Amino acid sequence: MKGYIKGKSIILTDSLPENIKDGDEVEVSFSVIPKPKYSFPTFNLGIKDEYLKREKIYESD
């Protein structure tokens, strides 16, 4: 199964198999999928959350 980590929770992207029900004990293993490496330099844009708000975008000078 595949999923991703958000905060301290694991979000599954696939649905659970039909034979698993509440209270069943399961074994979980983790493997980190490496991010793609690009042949050109990349960087984070670093846009502040406050600049994504409608009030800030349409603010008059």
Side-chain angles (χ1 to χ4, degrees), residues 31-48:
S31 60
V32 177
I33 299 173
K35 293 182 179 179
K37 294 183 180 178
Y38 299 104
S39 59
F40 50 89
T42 61
F43 56 92
N44 291 331
L45 290 177
I47 298 173
K48 295 181 180 179

Side-chain angles (χ1 to χ4, degrees), residues 23-35:
D24 285 351
E25 190 171 317
V26 296
E27 185 175 311
V28 179
S29 64
F30 295 95
S31 60
V32 177
I33 299 173
K35 293 182 179 179

Side-chain angles (χ1 to χ4, degrees), residues 13-28:
T13 55
D14 299 334
S15 58
L16 291 172
E18 294 293 326
N19 60 346
I20 294 179
K21 48 189 183 299
D22 283 347
D24 285 351
E25 190 171 317
V26 296
E27 185 175 311
V28 179

